[in-house]
Structures are given as structure tokens and as C-alpha cells.
Amino acid sequence: MGPPSSSGFYVSRAGALLLAGLAAALLLALAVLAALYGHCARVLPSELHHSGVPDTEPSQPGAPEEPPPTPKPGPTQELEVAATPRKWRPPGPWDQLRLPPWLVPLHYELELWPLLRPDELSVPGLRFTGRVNITVRCMAATARLLLHSLFLDCESAEVRGPLSPDTKDATVGRVPVDEVWFALDMQYMVLELGQALQPGSRYELQLSFSGPVYQDTREGLFLNLYTDQGKRRALLASQLEPTFARNVFPCFDEPALKATFNITIIHHPSYVALSNMPKLGQSEKEDVNGSKWTVTTFYTTPHMPTYLAAFAVCDYEYVSRIERGKEIRIWARKDAIAGGNADFALNITGPIFSFLEDLFNISYPLPKTDIIALPTFDNRAMENWGLLMFDESLLLLQPNDKLTEKKTVISYIVCHEIGHQWFGNLVTMNWWNNIWLNEGFASYFEVGVINYFNPKLPRDEIFFSNILHGVLREDHALVSRAVSRKVENFTETNEINELFDQFTYNKGASMARMLSSFLNEKIFISALKSYLETFSYSNAEQDDLWRHFQMAVDEQSKILLPATVKSIMDSWTHQSGFPIITLNASTGIMKQEPFYLGKVKNQSLLTHNDTWIVPILWMKNGTTQSLVWLDNSSKVFPEMQVSDSDHDWVILNLNMTGYYRVNYDKLGWKRLNQQLEKDPKAIPVIHRLQLVDDAFSLSKNNYIEIETALDLTKYLAEEDEIIVWHAVLLNLVTRDLIFEGKNHDIYPLLKKYLLKRLIPIWNTYSTIIRENVAALQDDYLALISLEKVFGTACWLGLEDCLQLSKELFRNWMNHPENEIPYPIKNVILCYGIALGNDKEWDFLLNIYNNTTKEEERIQLAYALGCSKEPWILNRYMEHAIAPSPLTFNETNIIEAVAASEVGRYIAKDFLINNWQAVSERYGTQSLVTLVYVIGRTISTDLQITELQQFCSNMLEEHQRLTVHAKLQTIKNENLKNKKRSARIAVWLQKNT
């Protein structure tokens, strides 16, 4: 799955307790909840056709705990369905996040009937009905059944069995269901039975239910509204990972509880239905009103977890190709298919499948692959077996995307989701604490596989830019989390959703890359083959993976490790943060310590006692050296000492494959700086990136002096790799510096110092922009770096940059077909407005009003805030609170204005005079954000007091307290930045 969104809602413990309290005060609440979450079921469900359960079964769990007894059934067989607050029920298994191991699901017969009609797209409260027969094996005698269900109304529930294997699983008898109730906080449906199920026997749970189709969030079964061929249309799709299957049908919603599925979808005849497997057949069905519906059935799936079940009902078309005898179809809006927008994704999908099949020597097991481009999909992409889902912006290539990084991004994301067909779908983690086994390895392989198809893409630099750089900035010993968490640490369902973060994806990928680097690719792939073969259609834990790597290591004698693979890798995956490795080049002494944000003198008081077993790949004088290990807090490596010769230098962490930062003593940094000034090309690009990123991060966090990092920039006039310039400017020309820059002593010094060195790289790319911009279309690193380089050049007042901005903007005004090159569009729009007058501003406003794409509207809205004319900015903010036709609903325009040097003073005055209108339009929380933006440069308590007085009438008491605390933090950070800037200014004076 792609990086998660924060959409959705959950019923937490606190919410459940509050519900209990209210219910205790108002007895009526029980009836309300019963009406909302369930109804008395007085009718039996009609029979669902049951085609039998496959002979193969998932491995059974260990000895189950004995379930608590259930009261004997009463005389009636009616079901009472209610949501039961925790206060009103005794302690029991419904208080635990994990299902009790009493039942193992074997097979689902699932029928869904979403009531979507093409002529009723905007019906509020759209719902679906459904039926599911779940064949289960009883593992322990129990008269109480738990399965997952959330926001579903249970219409009826039956338990049939035990099933007789001699008559093809025909039901023998019925187990009375006395009561059905819901434990909402842990999202359980509880069935109280009239008699206990018997261990070893099979039973069939038959449930009828209904539920909501979500329209404001993309989870469970959800609706997308869109326009195609000039008409308003709708589609339904599903997102069940990690815990949203229970929003669609009652189920055993844990990744280890794999089963097979027979899926049936009833839909309007004008739509097509898609699911994991190919279509088995179609028939017709009439509803009670005589309307005809199409019934589409699908072949039985392989064993898979509930979160991989997938459904779509749409009015789409597709393009297809055959790869190794299996059909691949890309489904999208008819306009997009006709425009060829899906062709690029189609053409890369088959070869990626084939490459991974050959790499792992395991064929993709499903007979087809459908990939659907959804108009809106919060999760970016989802790897459902046989029916992959993407946000269309990450799958479809538009004709004007030639000069964006879109082609490469689509390649990476498609490869990521295809990688999941092995890592996640074929072999699934046993529990969510090891989700990194899915996401980390899929993220790791996306870079390597695409590099195979595009050898010109610099693999190490792209891994750094896309994966490593961001997570190193956020990861540190006290605040981050371990890649693999202990199961018992999970207490609420929403904690599972929170695992889909950059530590799971990016740190997980970095763990895989480090493992590959200290072994070798042959051993790495061999171990993964063994792991995937052993656990196919089953589940695995982190230790299972380490065991197969250990087996691969033990089968050879070339690679020798200082400890077991498990010991090495557990030191990285079971603790938060990462180490900083410091080499004393004079003595060869190397030490490790946890990396903290803002190292302080009393660091020893902080608790982080563990060490890492650190692989050290390194280079001396440009020559790769043998791998060594730092498995203690410090160790001596005489071979790493540098001599008195100025030609001697050492770099640790070859190709940045180790997940750590590197520090050196003064001699070590001095020698590296000397080498950069003498012959920078002797140090590979990835290590010039590493030196810049490590040095500035270490200086910011008090490990080294800022002057040490600045010394590394002296050579930059000779730096022709734009990705290195990108790293330098991100670290040196920060947002805060830009915000206050021209009012600070540092600006003229920085301008003189940087422009002298920036001119060569500027000339290279400005010439390309002017003469042959198409040459950039396959230069991914340039495409992601140009905006920062061009923006800095214009901010520093480089006349050619300002002139180019005016030229490109006016050329676009006069000839709209001459589009501004995408990589620098934000810069050109902003400086085109800043250097222009109301003519340019009105032109851009008109473009804004005629644009429907949200991303482009936000881009234009911020560009309009770049004007330096106070009267234009005031007029702009009037638009921001005015009623239609000028509606700025997607962003707070005042925040955009306040983000500029001129605009923050104008925005403050405007806010004082119009705070009521702003509050009504954007909400009081937006006022809190605006106070932070306006207060970005405060450095005294008096300034804080003024801002507090300014907003005291606008905010509630708790917001005022929050604002005060935040402003104090901003002030302290600004004071620290001013001290840092003063030191930079002194250094610049000496070196300009």
C-alpha cells in the first residue's frame, strides 16, 4: 500500500467509556445504538450456494485458551442485536485487540449488493446489503463466537453444523444463536450460542448484513464521483487494508487468518464488476420492485487474508496485453483510455511481473491482473491480489507529463505494488507489527527493479533522495519507533493504521538494503527465494526471515559475520533511532552512540543503552576496502588511520548502504575538504551527497561546528551534479532563512558567496531550459532538483534568473500553448507575479478561475500571493473571504500571503480587521495556523505578547494556551537560528 492518509474514523477506548457514561444517564441510548448498529433478526437468511471448501487448510495455531462459559439459552431463538458499552458487560475476550484462537476460518462465500444506479449518483446514505457464509474449524469448545464487524447492521445470524465431510460438507444440524451483540471499541460481533461447538469439527456461520457506502473517506466500500466524456459518473471500490474488511462484511480480520473466497457482486447492468479473480459467470436478478440487476460471480481465490479481498463496480474501459499467457488490464475513465493515458503503465507492468518471477523463481499465481485507476484514492495505491488499485494521478501518464518526474514515479509505484504480490500477498506477515516485511521489501525492490530497466538512473542517489534522506531527518533515538514492534504494545485498532508511516516503508527498505550490502546480492536473493517458497500462501514473522538468511549464510564460507543474522538485524529493527558512527582518523578509533536531535552536554542522562551491530563498508583514497564490523561501543581499526600526507582520506558507509550517519575528527573532515577542493570527482557523487547531508545534520544537532559543514561547500564551483547542489541548498538556504533573509546581515554575504559558485550549474540548466528543454525529460534527478536551484538563484537576485522568469511568464501570457516547464513552474509563476503588476496578477487569477484540477489551483493560489504590491495583496485577501463566484476553498489564501516577506505584515493587519469573516470561512483552527505563520520571525517576549493580544479575542482559552506554547517554541528556535546565522555570517565574511 502507498503512504497512508489520515482519513477515517475510529471508536477508541475513551469514546467507548464516554458512550457508557451517557448510556448510564440516558437509558434511551441503548435503543438508539441498537437501531444504529443492529436490528432484531426474526427471519432466517435464505440459503447461499456453497460450493465446498478446498482440501488444503492453513496451518493451525497452538493450544488455544479455554473460552469463558456462556449462559444456557433461553426459550426463544430470536436474536437481540445491540452495541454493548464496556461498562455494561463483564470482562472478556472482547476487551482484547486479538481474536481468541477458538475458530479458524477456511472459506468465505461472500455476496455484496451495492445499491448504486447510474441515474441516482448523489443519493445520500448510499448503502449495500450482503450475505456471507464462513466455513470455520473449531479449535476449542466454545459457546461464544467472536468475529470482526464495524458499522454493519446484522439482519440475521445462523450457525450450521457440524459439517459432514462424507457428504461434501453438507450441514448436519443447527446450533442455536441466542443473541448477537457488538463490542464497538474492539470492533467485534459476538454470537452467543445455545450450545458449544466441538473441537475439530467444521461449522458454517451464515450472516446477512447491510452497511454504508463511504463517500467522504476512501476505506471499506467507498464511492468516487467523477466526470467522463462530459457526464457525471460514479464508481465503487474497496480499500480493506489494514482493518477495513470488517466495514464491508463480518469476518476474521487478522492477517494470519487466511482463507479462500468465492465472491459474488450484484450490480446495475450498466456497470462492470471486478474482483480478485476472473469472472466465472453472470446471471440476472430482479429486486422487489421488479428492477433487473446483474449477478457476477468470480472464481475461487487462493488462500489470502481478508485485507486483500477487493471489489470494484464501475463504468470504465480498459487496455490489455498478454504477459506469459496471463492477461493484464488497465481500467480507467473512457477519456483516459481513448487518450492513451494508460499505455505507459500497461507497457511496464508485464515486464516487471516477468522480472520478479525470474528473480524469485516463483510464478505469479493468479490467472489475471486488473489494475484500476481511481479518480480519488487516499492510499495512493493498493496491492490487492488480482485487482490492484491506484489513484489515477499515479498511474495515468498525461501528454503534458513529459517534463515532470511522473513517468519515473509511476514506474516506482507500479513496481512497489507488483513487489507486494510476493511480499505480502504470497507470504503475509503474521501480525501487523511486522508490516515492514511487506512494505520495506516492496520499497527496496522498487528502486532496484526500475534501475534494471533504466540503467541510466543512478540507483544510489535515487535511493538516497526518495527513501533514505527523509527518514534520516525524522528518525532519532527518543521520538521515533522501532521498525518491528512487540505485539503486546498494541492496544487499539487505530495503532495498526499508524504503522503505515515512513519508518515502515523507508526505514524498512533501508534495513533490506543494508542487509543486502553486507552479504552480497547472490546470498540475499537466495535467502529470499527460500523464504518465499517456504511460506507461500501462509504467514511469517521476522525471525522466519532471519532464519532463512542464516541458512543461506551457513551454506557458504566467503561471508563471515560477527554474530547471527538475527542478532545483527534485531539490533536494528527492535530499537528506535540509529547510531552516529565517529571515526578518529588520527588514531583509528571508531565509536558509536545513539543519534539525538539536538545533542546536549548531559546526553548520558538520556536512556538508550543498546548498541547496534554495525556493518562498516568504507573507502580509503578512492579505493574500496574490506568490510569491518563495529559490534561494541568503540573499537580500534588501525587500517583507518590517515598518514601525514594530504592525499590520505577515508570515507565510511560506502554508497550509504548503512543506516547511520558518519562523523569524523577534525583531521578526518579536513582531509575530505582538501580532497573536494583538489579533485572532487575522486569522491563519488553519492559520497559528496553524503558528506553534505551528514555534516549539516550533525552541525544542526550540535555534534560538529557549523563551520565544518560550511568548509565542505568551498569547492562547489566545480560541482556539476545538480542533486548535490540540491542537498546543499536544502540544508543551507532553509525556509526560515528565506522568510527573514533580506532583512538580515547574512543575505548580502550569502548572495556573494553562493552566486559565485552557482553560476556554472545555473548556466548549464538555464541553457537547457532556453534551447532544448525536452532534454530534461529522462533526467529524474534534475527534475526533482531544479525548483530549489532556480528558486535560490532568483531569491539571491541573479539577474539572468529574474529575466528568464519574466520571459517565460510573459511568453506564456501571450502564447498559452507555450507552457512553462513543469520543474520550475512554481518559481516562474511566483517571480512572474513578483516582478509584474496587476496585469500579470489578473491574468493568473483568470487562469485560476478556469482551472478545475485541485493541484493546479493550489499552485496558482500560492503564486498569486507572491506579489509585492500591498494593494494587490489586500485585494487578493478580500477574494479569500468573498462569496462566489471567486471561491478559494482548497487553501487558506491569507496563509499564502503571510508566507512572504511583504505579505506577513499585510496579512496581520487584514486579519485584525477581518478575523470574524476569516473564522467563519476557514474555522478558528486556521487562525491558530495563521498566528504561527505571522509569528514565524518573533524573537522576543514582547513580540509574543503583541501577538497574544492580537489574537486574544479570536481564540478560545485552550487555543490561546496552545498558541502561547507554540510561540515560545518558535521564539526559542528563532534565537537558536539567529545564533547559527551569525556564525554563518562570520564564516562567510572570512571566505567571500
Side-chain angles (χ1 to χ4, degrees):
M1 184 168 72
S5 71
S6 58
S7 62
F9 52 96
Y10 311 94
V11 181
S12 66
R13 283 183 193 271
L17 290 172
L18 176 60
L19 183 63
L22 292 172
L26 302 171
L27 294 178
L28 183 61
L30 178 60
V32 173
L33 285 169
L36 285 173
Y37 297 111
H39 308 286
C40 290
R42 303 173 184 273
V43 295
L44 299 177
S46 57
E47 283 289 323
L48 287 175
H49 172 68
H50 184 74
S51 60
V53 181
D55 292 330
T56 57
E57 299 177 13
S59 58
Q60 298 177 357
E65 298 176 4
E66 185 66 24
T70 303
K72 293 183 178 180
T76 177
Q77 295 300 316
E78 289 186 0
L79 301 181
E80 295 183 5
V81 184
T84 307
R86 174 171 298 189
K87 186 176 179 180
W88 295 359
R89 64 179 189 244
W94 41 80
D95 298 319
Q96 304 302 314
L97 185 63
R98 301 291 299 273
L99 281 163
W102 308 335
L103 300 179
V104 174
L106 305 177
H107 181 74
Y108 291 81
E109 290 278 341
L110 175 63
E111 175 187 282
L112 295 175
W113 189 346
L115 305 176
L116 176 67
R117 296 176 174 87
D119 55 343
E120 298 179 358
L121 301 184
S122 300
V123 175
L126 181 66
R127 295 183 66 79
F128 66 91
T129 62
R131 298 183 294 175
V132 64
N133 289 357
I134 311 174
T135 304
V136 300
R137 178 181 295 279
C138 179
M139 306 303 295
T142 177
R144 174 178 285 147
L145 309 185
L146 272 71
L147 63 163
H148 289 106
S149 178
L150 185 64
F151 306 124
L152 296 176
D153 290 334
C154 177
E155 311 296 347
S156 63
E158 289 192 27
V159 178
R160 294 183 178 272
L163 306 182
S164 172
D166 297 333
T167 54
K168 295 185 179 180
D169 291 338
T171 56
V172 179
R174 178 186 302 165
V175 179
V177 180
D178 292 345
E179 183 184 5
V180 178
W181 57 276
F182 291 87
L184 285 182
D185 46 0
M186 289 300 177
Q187 305 176 359
Y188 288 132
M189 170 191 284
V190 184
L191 278 64
E192 304 282 4
L193 307 182
Q195 64 190 54
L197 305 187
Q198 299 306 308
S201 296
R202 297 185 183 191
Y203 296 84
E204 187 175 79
L205 316 183
Q206 298 185 347
L207 305 165
S208 295
F209 54 91
S210 62
V213 173
Y214 297 100
Q215 300 189 33
D216 297 325
T217 183
R218 260 61 66 181
E219 56 192 41
L221 192 62
F222 62 86
L223 182 74
N224 262 194
L225 296 174
Y226 64 100
T227 300
D228 192 14
Q229 296 183 325
K231 294 183 179 179
R232 194 68 171 156
R233 302 176 191 265
L235 64 77
L236 293 173
S238 63
Q239 170 59 27
L240 306 190
E241 188 183 27
T243 59
F244 303 130
R246 64 194 67 175
N247 296 52
V248 181
F249 59 101
C251 57
F252 297 86
D253 198 14
E254 292 187 2
L257 298 178
K258 289 187 170 183
T260 53
F261 290 75
N262 277 4
I263 293 171
T264 298
I265 299 177
I266 304 174
H267 56 94
H268 192 274
S270 65
Y271 292 120
V272 63
L274 302 172
S275 188
N276 305 84
M277 298 298 289
K279 181 173 67 176
L280 174 62
Q282 278 190 328
S283 60
E284 193 177 81
K285 179 185 181 73
E286 281 192 9
D287 62 20
V288 293
N289 299 319
S291 299
K292 289 182 169 53
W293 296 79
T294 298
V295 181
T296 301
T297 58
F298 299 90
Y299 282 94
T300 306
T301 71
H303 276 98
M304 65 182 195
T306 48
Y307 79 81
L308 288 178
F311 330 100
V313 176
C314 61
D315 181 19
Y316 267 11
E317 290 183 354
Y318 66 87
V319 290
S320 67
R321 64 177 281 175
I322 303 298
E323 182 78 14
R324 296 186 174 179
K326 298 179 180 181
E327 187 175 27
I328 297 171
R329 299 184 294 186
I330 308 284
W331 295 80
R333 293 176 292 104
K334 296 174 181 178
D335 282 340
I337 295 296
N341 304 148
D343 294 348
F344 175 75
L346 179 68
N347 291 333
I348 65 173
T349 297
I352 292 172
F353 265 109
S354 296
F355 177 86
L356 290 173
E357 282 185 328
D358 293 341
L359 184 68
F360 301 129
N361 196 29
I362 299 174
S363 296
Y364 173 65
L366 272 67
K368 63 90 177 178
T369 298
D370 285 317
I371 302 179
I372 186 168
L374 303 178
T376 308
F377 191 44
D378 297 342
N379 294 282
R380 303 184 68 190
M382 179 62 202
E383 67 269 16
N384 311 301
W385 240 355
L387 179 55
L388 289 75
M389 297 187 182
F390 283 71
D391 188 286
E392 66 175 28
S393 68
L394 300 172
L395 186 70
L396 304 182
L397 194 65
Q398 306 294 338
N400 59 354
D401 280 335
K402 290 182 180 179
L403 283 177
T404 73
E405 67 273 24
K406 182 71 72 65
K407 184 186 292 186
T408 307
V409 169
I410 290 173
S411 299
Y412 285 136
I413 295 180
V414 168
C415 186
H416 180 100
E417 303 308 328
I418 294 175
H420 275 308
Q421 309 309 300
W422 287 266
F423 294 97
N425 298 11
L426 184 66
V427 178
T428 311
M429 71 281 149
N430 198 50
W431 179 241
W432 296 108
N433 61 309
N434 279 324
I435 184 61
W436 85 271
L437 296 177
N438 290 16
E439 301 298 349
F441 278 88
S443 298
Y444 168 75
F445 277 105
E446 74 183 51
V447 177
V449 173
I450 297 305
N451 184 253
Y452 171 83
F453 290 106
N454 300 277
K456 292 183 179 180
L457 287 173
R459 179 174 178 173
D460 292 326
E461 289 82 354
I462 287 178
F463 191 94
F464 170 82
S465 299
N466 289 3
I467 294 176
L468 189 58
H469 173 257
V471 71
L472 282 178
R473 290 183 64 179
E474 298 298 324
D475 198 10
H476 54 101
L478 290 182
V479 176
S480 73
R481 65 168 181 83
V483 171
S484 178
R485 287 177 56 186
K486 293 182 180 179
V487 177
E488 57 266 25
N489 289 348
F490 289 79
T491 57
E492 293 190 352
T493 306
N494 60 346
E495 292 183 60
I496 297 172
N497 293 274
E498 292 167 1
L499 291 177
F500 290 82
D501 60 13
Q502 65 172 330
F503 297 109
T504 289
Y505 288 77
N506 295 354
K507 189 171 182 178
S510 301
M511 295 297 99
R513 183 167 176 256
M514 182 167 62
L515 179 59
S516 176
S517 73
F518 70 71
L519 298 175
N520 59 46
E521 189 172 1
K522 182 179 179 181
I523 295 175
F524 184 74
I525 297 300
S526 173
L528 289 178
K529 284 181 181 178
S530 174
Y531 165 78
L532 291 170
E533 289 169 0
T534 302
F535 294 99
S536 290
Y537 306 104
S538 186
N539 297 79
E541 296 183 351
Q542 179 173 283
D543 283 356
D544 297 317
L545 181 66
W546 302 153
R547 188 167 63 253
H548 282 265
F549 271 101
Q550 190 63 52
M551 289 163 51
V553 170
D554 292 343
E555 289 172 359
Q556 54 83 56
S557 57
K558 185 177 180 180
I559 303 296
L560 301 176
L561 303 179
T564 64
V565 174
K566 173 178 167 56
S567 297
I568 294 169
M569 295 307 296
D570 279 357
S571 75
W572 294 91
T573 62
H574 284 320
Q575 61 178 325
S576 60
F578 61 86
I580 173 173
I581 306 301
T582 301
L583 173 67
N584 186 315
S586 303
T587 63
I589 296 175
M590 187 189 302
K591 68 175 183 177
Q592 62 165 295
E593 59 182 314
F595 177 81
Y596 294 95
L597 293 184
K599 183 181 181 183
V600 292
K601 292 181 180 179
N602 60 345
Q603 200 80 44
S604 59
L605 299 179
L606 300 173
T607 57
H608 197 291
N609 298 321
D610 294 331
T611 58
W612 291 262
I613 303 177
V614 187
I616 308 290
L617 286 160
W618 60 293
M619 172 188 294
K620 189 169 188 177
N621 303 332
T623 302
T624 301
Q625 306 295 313
S626 299
L627 168 71
V628 298
W629 290 88
L630 180 61
D631 50 2
N632 294 307
S633 57
S634 66
K635 205 169 184 178
V636 180
F637 296 95
E639 65 272 31
M640 293 187 183
Q641 289 178 268
V642 298
S643 67
D644 293 336
S645 168
D646 289 345
H647 302 288
D648 236 7
W649 53 273
V650 172
I651 285 182
L652 305 186
N653 198 7
L654 190 67
N655 295 327
M656 293 193 75
T657 54
Y659 188 73
Y660 49 85
R661 291 198 184 276
V662 180
N663 191 10
Y664 304 91
D665 66 337
K666 289 184 178 181
L667 178 61
W669 284 115
K670 179 182 177 182
R671 290 294 173 78
L672 290 168
N673 183 47
Q674 288 173 335
Q675 183 59 44
L676 285 173
E677 292 195 63
K678 181 172 59 178
D679 180 15
K681 295 299 177 69
I683 299 178
V685 177
I686 185 62
H687 290 295
R688 304 202 301 269
L689 261 177
Q690 174 198 16
L691 291 173
V692 166
D693 199 64
D694 279 356
F696 276 98
S697 176
L698 294 175
S699 69
K700 182 179 180 181
N701 292 289
N702 304 325
Y703 287 91
I704 63 175
E705 306 294 338
I706 180 60
E707 293 81 1
T708 302
L710 292 170
D711 283 342
L712 296 174
T713 68
K714 293 178 181 178
Y715 87 99
L716 282 174
E718 304 300 319
E719 181 57 75
D720 58 2
E721 293 289 344
I722 194 169
I723 190 64
V724 179
W725 267 104
H726 186 237
V728 170
L729 298 179
L730 282 179
N731 283 286
L732 188 55
V733 186
T734 61
R735 188 182 70 169
D736 290 334
L737 183 62
I738 291 173
F739 193 68
E740 63 173 319
K742 294 183 181 178
N743 296 321
H744 199 284
D745 293 340
I746 195 175
Y747 179 77
L749 296 168
L750 193 62
K751 176 178 179 177
K752 188 174 182 180
Y753 179 81
L754 274 181
L755 283 185
K756 179 180 177 181
R757 290 161 175 80
L758 189 65
I759 290 296
I761 195 81
W762 165 263
N763 287 340
T764 298
Y765 283 97
S766 62
T767 300
I768 294 173
I769 292 291
R770 285 185 165 110
E771 296 180 1
N772 183 26
V773 70
L776 294 172
Q777 60 183 318
D778 294 320
D779 190 345
Y780 176 73
L781 294 181
L783 293 174
I784 65 174
S785 303
L786 275 170
E787 181 176 324
K788 184 63 177 177
V789 172
F790 270 58
T792 301
C794 284
W795 178 71
L796 292 172
L798 181 62
E799 186 57 39
D800 192 44
C801 183
L802 300 176
Q803 185 61 35
L804 181 59
S805 296
K806 288 190 286 189
E807 287 175 11
L808 292 175
F809 192 94
R810 287 174 181 170
N811 188 33
W812 177 53
M813 280 183 65
N814 297 328
H815 305 282
E817 69 277 7
N818 296 335
E819 294 190 7
I820 298 170
Y822 178 85
I824 56 172
K825 189 171 183 178
N826 284 331
V827 178
I828 303 305
L829 289 177
C830 186
Y831 280 93
I833 292 297
L835 300 170
N837 52 38
D838 57 329
K839 179 182 178 182
E840 285 78 10
W841 199 92
D842 289 340
F843 167 79
L844 201 64
L845 180 64
N846 183 60
I847 297 293
Y848 173 92
N849 287 328
N850 289 285
T851 298
T852 57
K853 295 180 180 178
E854 182 180 2
E855 181 181 355
E856 189 173 347
R857 285 172 70 87
I858 293 174
Q859 181 186 51
L860 295 172
Y862 274 87
L864 288 166
C866 291
S867 174
K868 297 184 182 300
E869 295 287 349
W871 70 271
I872 289 179
L873 293 178
N874 273 301
R875 187 180 71 172
Y876 185 28
M877 288 186 291
E878 290 289 349
H879 286 318
I881 60 173
S884 57
L886 298 176
T887 54
F888 293 87
N889 290 327
E890 64 277 80
T891 185
N892 191 326
I893 301 307
I894 304 170
E895 183 179 342
V897 171
S900 73
E901 294 175 65
V902 175
R904 68 173 179 266
Y905 303 107
I906 298 168
K908 180 179 178 181
D909 291 339
F910 182 85
L911 200 55
I912 291 173
N913 296 323
N914 298 277
W915 69 267
Q916 187 67 47
V918 173
S919 178
E920 291 174 1
R921 179 67 178 273
Y922 297 105
T924 56
Q925 185 55 45
S926 69
L927 297 178
V928 174
T929 302
L930 283 169
V931 171
Y932 299 160
V933 175
I934 293 169
R936 191 177 288 161
T937 59
I938 62 173
S939 58
T940 68
D941 289 331
L942 178 60
Q943 290 172 317
I944 291 179
T945 301
E946 289 175 349
L947 271 176
Q948 284 183 302
Q949 291 173 345
F950 150 62
C951 65
S952 61
N953 295 327
M954 299 187 291
L955 304 177
E956 298 176 6
E957 177 62 25
H958 73 281
Q959 290 176 319
R960 288 197 291 271
L961 293 173
T962 302
V963 165
H964 178 74
K966 177 68 173 180
L967 291 177
Q968 285 286 354
T969 301
I970 292 173
K971 183 198 78 170
N972 294 335
E973 188 68 24
N974 285 343
L975 289 173
K976 187 171 76 172
N977 288 337
K978 284 182 182 297
K979 291 180 181 178
R980 181 179 173 90
S981 294
R983 291 185 65 171
I984 294 174
V986 171
W987 185 92
L988 288 171
Q989 284 177 326
K990 293 178 181 178
N991 291 277
T992 299

